[in-house]
Amino acid sequence: MGLVVLAVGSAAHAQSYQWDGKFRFPGTFFPAFALSATGKDSKGPTDTPQVYGYYESSSFAVMVQGTHKGSVVKVHISVPEIGAEGEIEAPPQPTDTPRAVVPRLAWSQSKLAAISQPISAEVVFQVSVDGQPMGEQRKPLRIRAVTDAPLQYCPKGGKCQDYTEYFAAYVNENNPVIDQILRAALDIPAMPVKQFVGTGQGEAYVFQQVWAIWYLFQRNKVTYSNIVTTCYVPI
């Protein structure tokens, strides 16, 4: 479905509202991004004439156009297949400019972490303006495996944005294989790192620890295979 256009109002004020559901990654949802970006909006929703809501951590939004100054917009977004949903009510619109309204979705961390293969789903967008329902959109969605992470998006004619900070979102730091890897690195002769202590001994030692793990992987000819290279367009 595309743009929803509805005419509402009174004799004193007739207004045509237009809205459309948007994706951060077109038609795609990355559990790895959702898990990693959760804390990005810890200070509360962004509130500007262009955006209201949890933009930094969200994968979905609704772009609303044609609302008059003072309109209150409520947006509900859900992905039934994974039990994710959220709702937000934007305060009165300060201007009549187009605005992205972005709810924060609640979801089960264990469900997202358990998605080991891509699945097909549907995202449902619902909007009301000044208490009046403005319809519903249902759009197909591809949910990627939790081990798939976006590295960058490249808008047409624009500069690519780096997403590498989300690359390790799905890593389980309690997995027993991690201790095996660290032990194997320490067993390499003449290794400058004698123990793994995280950040406890300063930045220089952090780099030495990272180098030790990298060297272990190089020694064992471990490589990363990038199956597909895809650029994504933002909301």
Side-chain angles (χ1 to χ4, degrees):
M1 293 180 66
L3 191 69
V4 174
V5 183
L6 289 163
V8 300
S10 64
H13 182 81
Q15 187 72 40
S16 177
Y17 299 105
Q18 303 176 358
W19 66 271
D20 193 26
K22 298 291 184 181
F23 299 86
R24 180 178 294 273
F25 309 105
T28 307
F29 174 69
F30 285 95
F33 171 80
L35 290 168
S36 184
T38 299
K40 284 288 189 176
D41 293 297
S42 59
K43 295 182 179 179
T46 298
D47 189 359
T48 70
Q50 293 77 35
V51 176
Y52 182 81
Y54 299 90
Y55 175 78
E56 294 297 327
S57 61
S58 180
S59 296
F60 312 104
V62 166
M63 181 62 69
V64 182
Q65 303 178 50
T67 56
H68 61 275
K69 182 178 180 180
S71 293
V72 175
V73 177
K74 180 184 286 187
V75 168
H76 184 275
I77 299 176
S78 64
V79 185
E81 284 79 0
I82 57 174
E85 66 176 326
E87 185 174 276
I88 193 170
E89 183 175 280
Q93 177 84 328
T95 69
D96 57 2
T97 59
R99 196 183 202 193
V101 182
V102 194
R104 174 159 46 197
L105 271 60
W107 32 255
S108 166
Q109 181 171 338
S110 61
K111 281 188 177 182
L112 294 191
I115 300 174
S116 59
Q117 298 292 331
I119 60 175
S120 295
E122 189 176 59
V123 57
V124 183
F125 300 91
Q126 296 172 313
V127 175
S128 66
V129 178
D130 296 331
Q132 183 165 349
M134 293 288 107
E136 177 183 284
Q137 285 184 3
R138 292 175 176 265
K139 294 190 175 185
L141 180 67
R142 188 66 169 168
I143 300 177
R144 300 294 292 266
V146 71
T147 49
D148 295 338
L151 297 182
Q152 64 179 1
Y153 73 67
C154 303
K156 291 182 179 179
K159 184 179 180 181
C160 293
Q161 181 172 333
D162 184 21
Y163 267 68
T164 54
E165 66 178 294
Y166 304 103
F167 187 68
Y170 51 83
V171 172
N172 177 8
E173 61 191 40
N174 298 314
N175 193 307
V177 75
I178 293 178
D179 288 335
Q180 297 174 23
I181 291 172
L182 299 183
R183 182 70 263 165
L186 295 177
D187 288 342
I188 296 175
M191 178 63 71
V193 172
K194 302 305 178 184
Q195 60 180 337
F196 287 94
V197 295
T199 59
Q201 294 186 19
E203 182 176 324
Y205 197 69
V206 169
F207 280 105
Q208 288 182 351
Q209 294 173 88
V210 173
W211 179 88
I213 297 171
W214 173 84
Y215 180 74
L216 171 68
F217 290 158
Q218 290 292 304
R219 181 187 175 100
N220 288 278
K221 302 186 186 308
V222 175
T223 60
Y224 172 72
S225 175
N226 184 14
I227 299 174
V228 294
T229 300
T230 308
C231 291
Y232 292 96
V233 181
I235 291 174

